[in-house]
Amino acid sequence: MKKSSIRIDMTAMCDVSFLLLTFFVLTSTAKTPEVYPVDLPASTKETKIPTDDILTITVGQENVFVGLSGRDDKIDVLKRMGQEYNIQFTEEELNAFAGMENFGVDIREMKSLLAKPASERMSKDLHKGIPYKDSLNNQLSSWVRNARESSYIRKSTEDKKNFLKVAIKGDANEQFGTVKKVIDILQEQRQNRFYLVTGLRTDDF
C-alpha cells in the first residue's frame, strides 16, 4: 500500500514568528552611539535610569564626556554656554548639536566640530574630553550648571523638584581620583544625588 506524503502547514508558525519579530523590534531600545564607549563596573543593583531630563557624564582615561537628553534641552544649554564663553552659534549649528548624543570637546572647538559632516562628528579622534581640571577653565562645571538652570527654568511650578538628574558613567579601570573630581564638581553645585551607571554582574563574576 502506498503511503501518502505528510505535509505540514507552516503558515501559522510564520505568522507567530513575524509577530514576535515585530514585537521585539518595536519594544527594544536602540543603543545610542558614544564618542567614548566604556567598560562599566559590575554590580548586582538593577535600577532603571531615566531617559528624560538627564545629563550623563562619561569618565574614561581621565577624560570626561557629556551627554544631554532632549533636543530642546540641548539647544538651550548650548545657547547658554555660548553666552558664557562669548560664542555665537547659528541655527544650523544649534540643530547640528541637538542631533549629537554626547561630546567631549572644548567649547571653543565646538564650532569646528559642528561644521563637520554628521557622519564624522562622532569620531573618537575629535573628542579629547571636556576641560575640568583647571579651576580657571572648568567647562564641565559650566555644562552642569547651565543644564541644571535650563531644566529648572523650563520645568513647571509643580515639577521643579524633579528637574535635571545626573548620571556618572565611569570606566571600570578608571582612577578613583578622576571620578572624585567629577563628584566634587557636582557637589559644589549642590548636586548631591546622582546615578552611578554599572553593568549587571553575571553568574561567573
Side-chain angles (χ1 to χ4, degrees):
M1 180 179 174
K2 185 178 180 181
K3 292 184 178 179
S4 59
S5 61
I6 299 174
R7 182 177 179 276
I8 300 175
D9 187 358
M10 300 292 288
T11 306
M13 188 173 288
C14 290
D15 288 345
V16 171
S17 298
F18 279 110
L19 189 63
L20 288 172
L21 180 63
T22 304
F23 172 77
F24 286 123
V25 168
L26 294 178
T27 57
S28 61
T29 303
K31 186 177 179 181
T32 55
E34 297 177 284
V35 293
Y36 191 90
V38 295
D39 183 17
L40 297 173
S43 76
T44 56
K45 189 71 176 177
E46 198 172 0
T47 304
K48 191 171 179 62
I49 294 178
T51 55
D52 298 327
D53 281 323
I54 188 160
L55 178 144
T56 304
I57 302 173
T58 302
V59 184
Q61 293 187 336
E62 298 188 24
N63 293 318
V64 297
F65 309 85
V66 167
L68 286 162
S69 63
R71 181 180 178 80
D72 294 338
D73 303 17
K74 293 176 189 174
I75 290 175
D76 189 57
V77 175
L78 184 60
K79 284 180 179 176
R80 289 170 177 273
M81 286 295 291
Q83 290 170 358
E84 181 173 342
Y85 288 87
N86 198 24
I87 302 171
Q88 184 71 40
F89 292 102
T90 65
E91 284 300 316
E92 186 178 347
E93 290 168 338
L94 292 170
N95 287 326
F97 181 75
M100 295 179 61
E101 292 297 331
N102 47 36
F103 55 91
V105 298
D106 190 306
I107 188 66
R108 292 163 293 196
E109 298 172 1
M110 186 63 80
K111 271 184 169 289
S112 61
L113 175 69
L114 297 176
K116 296 188 179 298
S119 58
E120 297 179 14
R121 284 183 205 131
M122 296 299 285
S123 172
K124 186 178 177 180
D125 295 335
L126 300 174
H127 299 265
K128 305 297 183 187
I130 294 172
Y132 69 99
K133 296 177 181 176
D134 186 351
S135 60
L136 298 176
N137 184 30
N138 193 335
Q139 294 183 22
L140 176 62
S141 179
S142 297
W143 281 107
V144 172
R145 186 183 62 257
N146 283 310
R148 296 182 78 223
E149 289 177 355
S150 173
S151 174
Y152 187 80
I153 290 172
R154 287 182 294 102
K155 284 283 184 182
S156 64
T157 305
E158 298 79 19
D159 208 21
K160 282 195 183 297
K161 290 182 180 178
N162 298 318
F163 75 113
L164 188 81
K165 280 87 60 184
V166 176
I168 300 175
K169 191 175 180 182
D171 190 273
N173 298 316
E174 186 57 51
Q175 297 292 321
F176 175 73
T178 307
V179 178
K180 177 69 168 55
K181 178 66 178 172
V182 172
I183 293 174
D184 288 344
I185 290 171
L186 296 178
Q187 291 185 323
E188 286 169 5
Q189 301 184 31
R190 297 185 178 181
Q191 180 74 44
N192 295 312
R193 299 184 66 180
F194 42 82
Y195 295 92
L196 290 175
V197 183
T198 59
L200 190 60
R201 192 171 72 180
T202 58
D203 293 337
D204 59 349
F205 179 75

